[in-house]
Amino acid sequence: MTPVIKNTGRQVILVVLVVLASLCFIVTEKTRLGLDLKSGTQLVYELPLAELSEEEDPETVISETLNIIGERIDPTGVLDARITRRGERQFLVELPEKD
């Protein structure tokens, strides 16, 4: 038997094992739906940076605002809420629906 044939046989066995492992995982694990499929709420907020005084740093204000909103929405960290920045003045709050 040539080395190519031996290697091909190993590759076929490896592919079969990977497919079987994948099928076992798909059958046994519960699929978690994302916010777009499960439903929930998305809120987009825009900060009025023009109203800041000259002494206030916009980056600091945005960072503090995101931290404060995150603590108020999900103080224990179990809600799975996501707060992400969008652009220079906006941020997105995503809240999943409770089961």
Side-chain angles (χ1 to χ4, degrees), residues 21-39:
S22 300
L23 287 174
C24 288
F25 180 77
I26 290 171
V27 170
T28 59
E29 290 295 316
K30 182 180 175 188
T31 304
R32 289 187 63 200
L33 298 177
L35 186 63
D36 54 343
L37 297 175
K38 186 178 179 182
S39 79

Side-chain angles (χ1 to χ4, degrees), residues 49-91:
L49 297 179
E51 297 178 8
L52 296 179
S53 67
E54 292 180 14
E55 300 148 357
E56 295 177 304
D57 178 35
E59 291 298 319
T60 305
V61 171
I62 291 172
S63 176
E64 289 175 358
T65 302
L66 292 177
N67 288 336
I68 291 170
I69 289 178
E71 290 172 7
R72 289 185 181 180
I73 289 176
D74 191 12
T76 59
V78 296
L79 185 60
D80 198 24
R82 285 187 284 172
I83 302 170
T84 54
R85 189 167 172 180
R86 291 179 60 183
E88 291 182 27
R89 300 168 25 159
Q90 294 182 343
F91 59 94

